[in-house]
Amino acid sequence: MINDTPKELNPDQEIGRLIDEVMSSSLTDEQYRKKMQRRKEVQEKRIAEAVPEKGLIIVNTGNGKGKTTAALGMVLRSLGHGYKVAIVQFIKGSWEPSEKRVFSYWEDQIEFHAMGEGFTWETQDRDRDLDKASAAWEKSLEYIRNPDFQMVLLDEINIALKMSYLEVEDVLAGLAQKPANKHVILTGRGAPAALIERADLVTEMTLVKHPFRDQGVKAQPGIEY
């Protein structure tokens, strides 16, 4: 029988090994029970040793859908806990998203600023885009520094960074000013390497299929906005 406590494995590796082993149909019921018990012990030890609380820098990037949607899920959780949240939109400002209407029910907890004027191919005015991105960043800094807000969502800021409307060094310097317990979420494809390196949690959405690209289906209410 394989030793369940090899010293050379870290907790992630050991849990991965245990998962692989319990998927084997050759295990007896007793072997399965012991391995699952060991997995429970490893997981409980990790939780017991974990830092109880830390304000996170969270990056949602990649070419797939769902970056803003995932961030809004965290916003909803924060509102449910009674926290104050600020949202600053850098690109999608020409839209009136349904999320903004829904969040109006928490108007005492949330502040929402749509400060872009649409996607870059719609504005066709680089100087104006630069001014709007700069104004959105200044507004973002107000919330990043404000200890009354537990979460700040900077929606599509990665696009502004990718288009060089903002400098990544300035954004990193601004993030360094946040209170220790504040969460900041930065969304948009093309997140720069320096931001990914600084972040605590990074998720890359991978595009596999898309109805517009593959079928010519336009953006729909309830799905895209």
Side-chain angles (χ1 to χ4, degrees), residues 117-205:
E117 292 188 322
F119 294 101
T120 52
W121 62 84
E122 293 171 335
T123 62
Q124 301 177 22
D125 186 335
R126 179 172 176 80
D127 288 340
R128 189 167 180 82
D129 287 342
L130 284 165
D131 289 342
K132 289 292 182 180
S134 179
W137 176 238
E138 290 303 315
K139 177 61 68 175
S140 301
L141 277 175
E142 293 177 17
Y143 291 117
I144 288 171
R145 295 165 176 158
N146 189 334
D148 293 335
F149 288 82
Q150 284 79 18
M151 176 174 286
V152 179
L153 167 56
L154 309 180
D155 188 40
E156 301 288 5
I157 189 175
N158 295 339
I159 298 293
L161 288 166
K162 184 178 181 180
M163 299 294 293
S164 297
Y165 296 159
L166 299 173
E167 296 296 330
V168 65
E169 292 81 7
D170 294 336
V171 172
L172 293 176
L175 292 173
Q177 300 176 46
K178 76 177 186 66
N181 64 343
K182 183 190 297 288
H183 306 304
V184 181
I185 312 172
L186 306 94
T187 72
R189 64 181 62 196
L195 177 58
I196 290 174
E197 177 66 24
R198 174 63 185 84
D200 301 288
L201 172 61
V202 180
T203 300
E204 183 175 2
M205 307 296 187

Side-chain angles (χ1 to χ4, degrees), residues 15-114:
I15 287 175
R17 179 185 63 81
L18 289 166
I19 290 172
D20 290 339
E21 290 180 1
V22 298
M23 292 173 65
S24 171
S25 58
S26 63
L27 291 179
T28 66
D29 289 345
E30 180 61 15
Q31 288 173 328
Y32 178 87
R33 187 194 67 76
K34 286 183 177 180
K35 291 183 183 299
M36 294 305 288
Q37 176 61 32
R38 176 56 188 164
R39 183 186 176 191
K40 182 173 182 290
E41 291 169 357
V42 173
Q43 188 65 19
E44 288 178 345
K45 184 174 185 293
R46 293 179 71 191
I47 293 172
E49 294 174 348
V51 175
E53 186 175 306
K54 177 189 178 183
L56 303 178
I57 295 174
I58 301 167
V59 174
N60 291 349
T61 192
N63 293 330
K65 278 182 58 57
K67 297 178 285 293
T68 296
T69 303
L72 291 174
M74 287 185 272
V75 167
L76 188 62
R77 292 192 194 104
S78 292
L79 294 172
H81 283 287
Y83 299 155
K84 294 193 69 174
V85 179
I87 299 175
V88 180
Q89 286 189 315
F90 279 75
I91 301 295
K92 296 177 182 175
S94 65
W95 293 19
E96 277 296 324
S98 57
E99 296 99 314
K100 185 175 181 180
R101 292 194 295 272
V102 170
F103 288 145
S104 67
Y105 293 107
W106 287 275
E107 60 183 11
D108 59 332
Q109 289 177 243
I110 193 166
E111 295 194 15
F112 193 115
H113 297 271

